[in-house]
Amino acid sequence: MPINLSNSYRDLGESFSQQILPDPVAQPSLLLWNEALAQTLGLTFDSTDNKENDADLLAQYFSGNRLMEDSKPIAQAYSGHQFGQFNPQLGDGRAHLLGDIADEQGQRWDIQLKGSGVSQFSRSGDGRCALGPALREYIMSEAMFALGVPTTRCLAVVTTGQSVYRDRPFAGAIVTRVATSHIRVGTFQYFAARGDTESLKKLTNYSIKRHFPELLAESAVESSKATDDNEISSEQVLNFFSAVLSKQIPLVLSWLRVGFIHGVMNTDNTAISGETIDYGPCAMMNAYHWETVFSSIDRNSRYAFGKQISIMQWNMTRLAETLLPLIDSDEDAAVAQLQPLLSQFHQDFEENYLKMMAVKIGIDEPEQGDGKLISELIAIMQKNSLDYTKTFTALTDALTDSLNGNAIEGPLLNLLGEWLPRWQIRIAGFKAAAHELMVSNNPVVIPRNHDVEAILATSQASYQEKGDLTALYEFLAVLRQPYTVLDNTKNYQNSPADGDENYHTFCGT
Ligand code: AMP
Ligand code: MG
């Protein structure tokens, strides 16, 4: 069946991307294929005409050795603030956007290969990806998707049969990433830094069409300009900015809900779609501490767990700066229009943070005093290094059976002390509803760092020896149902024995 691939981003013009083919690899071999995702996308590869079995055909397509019909690959240009420092020239240094396809609902998805060779944006990089990080992205993004976190996903991991050199040789791989788009804050910064207002207008119009078509419908009634890619009204830009802001709140709050630390929230890793992108140095928090950081290059703890809201606000302010010339030629006047949206964004974050945490303790509509209840629980967790996930599952479990909250015992009972009866009184009138809310918002399992690393080690060793990914599949099966206790769930619920004291993640994927 032909794949209905468009190259809509390439069509924006030469300033947006480099036209470049993936660099073929020696021995592509399909390691992981996300059939559920393929079905969502309506992707089927009929091999009957090809005299090849499916796995071989998929390995050809998702290594870049063979192109899908209509695919015109590009490397996208973007800039970005990396750890606060602006770098005007980043871009896809080891990724190829093959094109975008529409699913049955009409939603368009980018299909991107990562690790598929160099481009003009590679700088000193080799354009490649090692197998470990490719598998890690697959596991983490699948886990996040199942946790209900907006995220890019992985369609395939293909090994290349070639070595990738980091501090030593590793098996090479190509991961196929699927996203509603790969437009980043850094994409806007790329054109703003060059004073290319025409391209900024085009990019904004494209982004609206791609992500917020409802805005297009509104403005089409008001102005005929909306259909011209080179024109955009200030009102449209403001609406677009608001829409982007509204996507970032559920994103970061769901990270905070499940204990996710992105690790490298540079503006080039912040998608305007509000999807989690770039799983390089991410990690999960075990013991609660708002300053938790695992990334080895985040020396100033810029991207610590508890700073993620303020970093997203910082990143959105950078996006706002790029939009100024589209709003008013007088910069002060443009700032005056954007500023209220940013202030509202700060306020919305605060309010929604409270709501998100309230839900974790079973409260649907927070009232006065609930903020204090929540911050006291957080203080207890932080002071006593309590496991974030386990604390909430213990509270949830306390409401099962008798629904009387007495099931908490042992050390946790003592540590919660006076907090526990206060919480019990607060939810006394709606325990069953509170329980239901807690079950669906507090995962029983998350992809804990030590489990992920152990699975990566065994999968790579076993793959090189005999192609056995049993342990990986078992882990994925549990991670795909993070709100349900399955037979194997208990194997992945333990906090690390050493509290992840010496755990470090790396960017160099
Ligand atoms: P990241 O840290 O993954 O967000 O990447 C930052 C920038 O470095 C992006 O422009 C990437 O395309 C580029 N990059 C990362 N790794 C490589 C590599 N192995 N080869 C070429 N470019 C790379
Ligand atoms: Mg990146």
Side-chain angles (χ1 to χ4, degrees):
M1 199 183 88
I3 305 300
N4 243 333
L5 208 67
S6 299
N7 300 279
S8 60
Y9 199 81
R10 176 183 155 128
D11 295 343
L12 287 174
E14 277 179 12
S15 57
F16 286 78
S17 60
Q18 180 197 7
Q19 302 182 14
I20 182 155
L21 295 175
D23 198 4
V25 298
Q27 265 188 317
S29 171
L30 185 70
L31 187 61
L32 290 175
W33 175 248
N34 194 335
E35 181 57 30
L37 177 57
Q39 283 186 13
T40 315
L41 300 175
L43 277 178
T44 45
F45 292 87
D46 191 339
S47 61
T48 46
D49 299 335
N50 298 291
K51 297 194 174 66
E52 282 169 290
N53 70 44
D54 284 341
D56 284 345
L57 187 65
L58 293 173
Q60 292 290 327
Y61 281 130
F62 296 102
S63 59
N65 277 22
R66 177 168 172 167
L67 285 184
M68 285 176 247
E69 208 184 326
D70 297 332
S71 171
K72 294 175 184 161
I74 53 169
Q76 289 175 300
Y78 53 84
S79 306
H81 272 91
Q82 298 178 302
F83 294 93
Q85 298 296 315
F86 186 62
N87 187 336
Q89 185 78 12
L90 290 168
D92 290 335
R94 53 162 172 173
H96 290 81
L97 178 61
L98 299 179
D100 53 281
I101 55 162
D103 65 19
E104 276 185 356
Q105 282 74 45
Q107 168 71 54
R108 299 207 77 84
W109 300 89
D110 274 3
I111 311 282
Q112 190 204 60
L113 300 181
K114 182 164 148 191
S116 41
V118 290
S119 73
Q120 70 183 44
F121 308 112
S122 301
R123 293 169 291 159
S124 56
D126 61 2
R128 293 298 181 191
C129 178
L131 174 59
L135 291 176
R136 196 164 185 276
E137 175 154 348
Y138 191 102
I139 295 170
M140 293 305 293
S141 58
E142 277 304 281
M144 293 283 272
F145 175 74
L147 283 162
V149 179
T151 182
T152 60
R153 294 185 71 190
C154 290
L155 180 65
V157 175
V158 172
T159 52
T160 60
Q162 293 169 202
S163 291
V164 172
Y165 293 87
R166 296 294 177 251
D167 51 331
R168 61 187 173 83
F170 288 92
I174 293 173
V175 53
T176 302
R177 184 159 65 189
V178 172
T180 57
S181 89
H182 284 83
I183 302 168
R184 308 136 193 270
V185 171
T187 319
F188 284 82
Q189 290 181 296
Y190 180 84
F191 296 112
R194 286 158 180 77
D196 184 352
T197 309
E198 290 315 301
S199 295
L200 267 176
K201 285 182 188 167
K202 261 186 153 177
L203 179 64
T204 310
N205 274 322
Y206 178 85
S207 302
I208 291 173
K209 271 192 205 153
R210 188 85 190 249
H211 292 287
F212 312 109
E214 65 281 5
L215 298 183
L216 208 60
E218 281 168 23
S219 69
V221 182
E222 290 162 24
S223 149
S224 56
K225 277 183 175 177
T227 49
D228 180 349
D229 284 350
N230 298 313
E231 284 309 324
I232 189 159
S233 69
S234 59
E235 194 191 350
Q236 278 257 274
V237 178
L238 291 166
N239 289 343
F240 163 70
F241 185 57
S242 283
V244 174
L245 294 179
S246 71
K247 293 279 181 190
Q248 310 307 321
I249 294 174
L251 173 70
V252 178
L253 292 184
S254 53
W255 292 352
L256 301 185
R257 177 173 61 80
V258 303
F260 178 79
I261 307 156
H262 184 284
V264 62
M265 287 177 73
N266 295 335
T267 56
D268 53 303
N269 294 329
T270 302
I272 60 152
S273 64
E275 289 169 298
T276 311
I277 189 168
D278 201 325
Y279 281 90
C282 70
M284 301 302 295
M285 181 171 68
N286 294 290
Y288 184 92
H289 200 294
W290 79 277
E291 280 185 304
T292 307
V293 169
F294 292 106
S295 169
S296 55
I297 59 166
D298 191 3
R299 294 205 180 83
N300 299 319
S301 300
R302 180 180 171 88
Y303 299 136
F305 175 76
K307 290 192 191 160
Q308 298 184 108
I309 290 181
S310 61
I311 288 293
M312 186 52 86
Q313 289 165 345
W314 193 89
N315 288 352
M316 287 299 120
T317 308
R318 302 289 80 75
L319 176 62
E321 287 163 359
T322 70
L323 300 176
L324 293 171
L326 306 192
I327 290 173
D328 200 306
S329 52
D330 173 355
E331 195 171 291
D332 290 342
V335 169
Q337 296 197 63
L338 281 163
Q339 195 57 56
L341 300 181
L342 281 167
S343 305
Q344 186 65 45
F345 183 51
H346 285 230
Q347 219 175 307
D348 290 348
F349 244 131
E350 222 166 275
E351 240 171 65
N352 285 290
Y353 173 76
L354 178 69
K355 278 191 190 159
M356 181 279 290
M357 289 304 294
V359 156
K360 281 180 79 68
I361 56 169
I363 298 167
D364 201 10
E365 286 169 30
E367 292 170 1
Q368 217 177 5
D370 289 339
K372 193 159 171 269
L373 196 65
I374 290 160
S375 56
E376 283 173 9
L377 176 62
I378 288 173
I380 294 169
M381 287 192 291
Q382 179 153 308
K383 179 164 172 238
N384 300 288
S385 299
L386 296 182
D387 188 277
Y388 188 56
T389 303
K390 281 188 184 176
T391 302
F392 286 102
T393 33
L395 292 173
T396 309
D397 289 348
L399 292 181
T400 43
D401 299 331
S402 57
L403 293 179
N404 63 10
N406 290 331
I408 291 179
E409 10 175 77
L412 185 58
L413 184 64
N414 291 332
L415 294 175
L416 290 174
E418 278 309 296
W419 186 88
L420 193 59
R422 281 179 32 227
W423 171 60
Q424 286 166 328
I425 291 167
R426 174 67 179 90
I427 59 165
F430 51 94
K431 277 183 185 165
H435 180 247
E436 209 174 301
L437 209 52
M438 291 173 77
V439 166
S440 53
N441 284 282
N442 295 314
V444 293
V445 66
I446 55 166
R448 290 184 188 267
N449 310 321
H450 65 287
D451 288 323
V452 172
E453 295 305 325
I455 296 287
L456 288 181
T458 56
S459 320
Q460 290 181 84
S462 59
Y463 178 70
Q464 273 152 17
E465 283 160 22
K466 53 184 184 322
D468 181 6
L469 293 176
T470 316
L472 178 75
Y473 288 131
E474 265 179 30
F475 190 37
L476 280 174
V478 168
L479 293 175
R480 282 181 170 136
Q481 292 194 61
Y483 300 100
T484 309
V485 180
L486 307 174
D487 286 348
N488 284 335
T489 303
K490 60 181 180 309
N491 301 337
Y492 311 103
Q493 285 180 302
N494 293 328
S495 337
D498 65 353
D500 273 346
E501 207 178 329
N502 297 310
Y503 184 62
H504 297 293
T505 56
F506 301 90
C507 244
T509 54

